[in-house]
């Protein structure tokens, strides 16, 4: 599965990046391809490449604040979730989005 | 010029076998290190901002790790104090365990100008989300070892 997403937290200093690491590790170990963009206090890092958006099966917004560029996910099934949930149980969350993506078939 | 995580981490604000009974003790111990090494200029101002962030949500990310942080006018220089404590400290955490390693982020309250430091802090935060890194940190017995694990 191809997963794209955005991580963003309240202060934009720490949780954003913890969430990204957890998501990437959990998705990759489940055999998925994933690209997570971070929107923190430094601004946007690792913006989602267009070619990844084109092939995305599902989009994740792991955020506690408003994110920018949501419109890029138009036409892609999108799951919004607080960073805490992703940090707490990343593997469970990836399983859940696998189900959500499957339902769309 | 870019600096590496290894050069950014300061062993003078890191410690192992530290003692604290409570969350506030732990934050105080690490804040004192930050003050002594010139990272912050006022413990009370700094702690007020740390506790403000604490009030917004849990910083205990599970696996015995806590990452209290916040932007503060009390911060003079960006840095991260890392303490490994002798005993498990009660803390609000995502997995309901206590905390053994506290990574206290000191971030200047300003826009821009310190992007490189913020990138380094972000990259360290990311590593703290990695289970292997955390396991190694929990087994580390010296600040040098912790620096190597995070670098």
């Amino acid at each position: 599965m191809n997963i794209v997403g955005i991580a963003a937290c309240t202060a934009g200093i720490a949780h954003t990046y913890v969430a990204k690491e957890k998501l990437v590790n959990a998705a990759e170990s489940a055999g998925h391809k994933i690209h997570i963009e971070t929107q923190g206090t430094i601004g946007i890092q690792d913006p989602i490449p267009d070619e990844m958006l084109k092939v995305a099966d599902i989009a994740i917004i792991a955020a506690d604040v408003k994110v920018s560029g949501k419109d890029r996910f138009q036409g892609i099934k999108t799951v919004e979730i607080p960073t805490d949930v992703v940090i707490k149980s990343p593997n469970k969350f990836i399983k859940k989005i696998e189900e959500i993506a499957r339902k769309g078939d | 010029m870019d600096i590496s995580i290894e050069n950014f981490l300061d062993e003078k604000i890191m410690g192992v076998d530290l003692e604290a009974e409570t969350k506030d003790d732990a934050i105080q111990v690490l804040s004192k290190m930050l003050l002594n090494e010139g990272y912050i200029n006022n413990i009370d101002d700094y702690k007020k901002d740390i506790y403000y962030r604490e009030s917004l949500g849990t910083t205990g990310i599970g696996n015995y790790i806590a990452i209290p942080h916040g932007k503060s006018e009390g911060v003079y220089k960006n840095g991260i104090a890392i303490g490994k404590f002798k005993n498990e400290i009660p803390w609000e955490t995502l997995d309901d365990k206590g905390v053994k390693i506290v990574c206290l982020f000191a971030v200047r309250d300003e826009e821009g100008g310190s992007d490189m430091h913020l990138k380094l802090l972000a990259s360290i935060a990311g590593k703290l989300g990695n289970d292997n890194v955390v396991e190694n940190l929990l087994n580390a017995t010296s600040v040098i070892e912790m620096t190597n694990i995070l670098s």
Side-chain angles (χ1 to χ4, degrees):
Chain A
M1 203 160 73
N2 291 311
I3 306 168
V4 293
I6 299 169
C9 65
T10 319
I13 293 170
H15 287 71
T16 300
Y17 308 96
V18 177
K20 175 183 173 146
E21 177 79 15
K22 296 257 183 192
L23 279 173
V24 169
N25 288 338
E28 285 179 352
S29 68
H32 303 300
K33 210 172 158 207
I34 183 164
H35 189 106
I36 300 291
E37 163 181 311
T38 52
Q39 297 185 3
T41 185
I42 354 175
I44 293 174
Q45 281 181 289
D46 302 324
I48 305 167
D50 286 343
E51 52 272 29
M52 195 64 193
L53 277 170
K54 273 183 211 145
V55 297
D57 300 297
I58 196 154
I60 300 167
I61 299 176
D64 312 315
V65 289
K66 248 178 105 178
V67 298
S68 62
K70 256 192 197 179
D71 49 321
R72 286 172 292 171
F73 299 158
Q74 230 166 28
I76 306 172
K77 197 170 281 183
T78 304
V79 179
E80 300 200 33
I81 187 107
T83 58
D84 270 7
V85 180
V86 164
I87 293 172
K88 187 181 178 182
S89 346
N91 298 315
K92 221 159 106 188
F93 175 68
I94 292 297
K95 281 222 176 73
K96 203 179 132 195
I97 66 159
E98 283 169 3
E99 275 167 34
I100 293 171
R102 220 174 295 138
K103 270 182 206 157
D105 291 342
Chain B
M1 198 181 77
D2 274 0
I3 52 170
S4 63
I5 291 180
E6 191 180 356
N7 288 328
F8 178 68
L9 286 173
D10 179 354
E11 285 166 10
K12 293 196 287 295
I13 52 170
M14 294 166 72
V16 292
D17 291 329
L18 302 180
E19 291 188 40
E21 291 301 319
T22 64
K23 173 177 171 176
D24 193 54
D25 283 350
I27 290 177
Q28 180 69 20
V29 165
L30 293 174
S31 298
K32 264 197 183 140
M33 286 182 176
L34 289 169
L35 182 74
N36 292 341
E37 298 303 326
Y39 282 83
I40 62 174
N41 47 39
N42 184 315
I43 283 198
D44 291 337
D45 284 355
Y46 175 63
K47 275 175 64 176
K48 206 177 82 207
D49 291 313
I50 290 298
Y51 277 103
Y52 169 68
R53 173 60 189 84
E54 288 296 310
S55 74
L56 299 177
T58 177
T59 56
I61 57 171
N63 284 338
Y64 305 106
I65 304 284
I67 48 169
H69 58 278
K71 280 189 171 184
S72 175
E73 284 182 5
V75 174
Y76 175 70
K77 197 163 94 176
N78 293 325
I80 176 168
I82 303 177
K84 197 174 166 190
F85 290 85
K86 274 185 181 163
N87 49 308
E88 204 175 310
I89 302 160
W91 202 290
E92 305 84 4
T93 63
L94 294 176
D95 58 3
D96 297 324
K97 289 180 198 158
V99 154
K100 290 177 186 165
I101 296 174
V102 180
C103 303
L104 181 62
F105 289 61
V107 181
R108 286 179 60 145
D109 189 11
E110 59 176 5
E111 291 298 324
S114 54
D115 278 7
M116 189 179 62
H117 287 161
L118 289 172
K119 275 182 193 157
L120 287 163
L121 288 169
S123 148
I124 293 167
K127 287 179 189 230
L128 295 170
N130 183 296
D131 290 346
N132 295 331
V133 170
V134 169
E135 199 187 319
N136 290 335
L137 281 179
L138 289 167
N139 290 325
T141 53
S142 69
V143 292
I144 297 165
E145 225 179 303
M146 289 204 289
T147 303
N148 289 338
I149 293 163
L150 290 169
S151 297

